[in-house]
Amino acid sequence: MFKKILASVGIGAAKVDTILETEHLQPGQLFNAQIVITAGDVSQEIAGLDLLLMTRVKASNEDGDYFTNHVIEQWRITDIGTVEPGEVKTIPFQARLHSETPITEINAGYNQSYVWLETGLDIDLALDPSDKDHLHVYPNEAVKTCMQAMEKLGFSLTKADVEKGHLRASTFQSVSGCYQELEYKPNSRSLFGVKEIELSFIPEAHKTHVLIELDRAFKGDGYVDLTIEHDHVNLSQLCDQLERLFT
C-alpha cells in the first residue's frame, strides 16, 4: 500500500522515454521513434500515452507580451494495459512532423525558436510522468533558398521567434495556431527604402508560401506574398522576385 501511495505522487512510478531515430528533421518529414515504458515499484494501469509536438510562442494580453508553450500537434496511443514491476514495454511509433513546425537551426542574431516532443503517460491516480526531447528543425530547400536570397539582396537575419495566432493571405492561411517570424534588417542604406522585413513561411507538400511584412521609410508598413513551387526553386529567380516585391 505504501508503494502505491508513493507511486501516486510519482515516486517509484512507471516512466516513459521516447527514443527518436533522429532528432534532426525538416517540417513535414516522416520520423520514427521507440517509446519505452519502464514499470515502477508497483503494478500500474496505463490508460494511454500522449505525444505532443511543442513550441514556445509569444502572446500578448492587456498586461503586455509574454511567452507560453503551444501544442502544434498531438498524437494519442491507447490500449497499453498494465505494467508490472520490472517490466519494460517498447512501442514503435511513426508520424510526420507538422509542415508548419518552426525552424530552430538558423543563424539569427537572436533566436527564440524552440521545438520539442513531449511524451506523457495517462496513469490512474498518479502524476503524469513525462519525457522531453528537443528537436533540431532545419529549413526545406525553398525556405533555405529564400534566406540565401535575402542575404544576396543585402539583408541580415537579426531575430527569429514564434508568435501565437494565424497568418492569412489571399490564397493561403496557416492552421497550426502559431507562426514563425524571421526579422531582417538591411546591411546598409536600402535602395528600396526598406527599414525592416519580416518573413513567415507556410510550407505545404509541394510548395511553400511566404508572407512578407515590409517596413518602408516612404510607404509605411505593408504585406506582400509569394509562393515557391518546390520543383522550381532557383536562387537567381527568387532574388528577382523579392527585389520586385520590395520596390
Side-chain angles (χ1 to χ4, degrees):
M1 176 62 73
F2 182 64
K3 286 185 177 180
K4 287 186 177 180
I5 294 172
L6 290 176
S8 71
V9 294
I11 301 173
K15 292 179 170 56
V16 63
D17 181 23
T18 296
I19 303 171
L20 293 161
E21 189 176 274
T22 178
E23 297 163 350
H24 300 265
L25 298 163
Q26 287 185 338
Q29 183 177 341
L30 203 66
F31 68 92
N32 293 282
Q34 299 289 327
I35 303 170
V36 180
I37 301 171
T38 304
D41 297 333
V42 296
S43 173
Q44 287 184 291
E45 177 71 24
I46 300 177
L49 63 84
D50 293 289
L51 288 92
L52 293 84
L53 180 63
M54 306 285 296
T55 188
R56 191 177 72 155
V57 299
K58 185 167 73 174
S60 60
N61 57 24
E62 61 274 8
D63 297 321
D65 294 338
Y66 64 96
F67 285 93
T68 185
N69 292 340
H70 175 77
V71 180
I72 302 171
E73 191 161 5
Q74 181 172 353
W75 302 275
R76 173 125 181 128
I77 297 174
T78 56
D79 301 324
I80 296 172
T82 301
V83 290
E84 302 293 343
E87 184 180 1
V88 177
K89 283 192 176 186
T90 301
I91 303 168
F93 179 77
Q94 184 181 75
R96 192 173 295 277
L97 204 65
H98 198 289
S99 62
E100 294 178 18
T101 302
I103 303 158
T104 63
E105 304 309 298
I106 45 181
N107 186 23
Y110 188 38
N111 187 2
Q112 295 177 297
S113 305
Y114 307 95
V115 175
W116 66 95
L117 190 66
E118 189 167 317
T119 313
L121 293 176
D122 183 0
I123 302 177
D124 189 32
L125 300 177
L127 295 177
D128 178 19
S130 60
D131 170 56
K132 292 183 180 180
D133 297 276
H134 284 269
L135 301 180
H136 304 276
V137 186
Y138 298 82
N140 65 26
E141 195 62 30
V143 173
K144 185 164 61 175
T145 305
C146 193
M147 295 169 69
Q148 290 171 347
M150 291 296 292
E151 291 180 11
K152 285 183 71 68
L153 291 173
F155 293 89
S156 292
L157 179 57
T158 58
K159 181 181 176 183
D161 64 13
V162 184
E163 308 269 343
K164 183 178 180 179
H166 293 83
L167 294 178
R168 290 180 178 85
S170 58
T171 59
F172 61 87
Q173 66 178 28
S174 63
V175 296
S176 65
C178 67
Y179 57 92
Q180 188 172 33
E181 285 188 341
L182 305 186
E183 183 180 298
Y184 285 87
K185 293 187 181 298
N187 296 328
S188 58
R189 188 178 182 87
S190 173
L191 296 175
F192 317 118
V194 175
K195 296 189 292 183
E196 182 181 285
I197 295 176
E198 290 181 346
L199 301 184
S200 294
F201 299 96
I202 304 177
E204 295 181 3
H206 304 294
K207 57 189 173 184
T208 294
H209 305 290
V210 191
L211 186 64
I212 305 167
E213 183 178 359
L214 298 169
D215 181 4
R216 291 179 282 207
F218 310 112
K219 298 181 181 179
D221 293 350
Y223 289 89
V224 293
D225 62 82
L226 66 96
T227 296
I228 307 169
E229 300 290 341
H230 289 175
D231 56 355
H232 289 93
V233 179
N234 181 281
L235 178 58
S236 179
Q237 291 179 2
L238 198 47
C239 285
D240 292 340
Q241 283 181 286
L242 290 172
E243 192 167 358
R244 286 195 296 269
L245 289 172
F246 295 167
T247 56

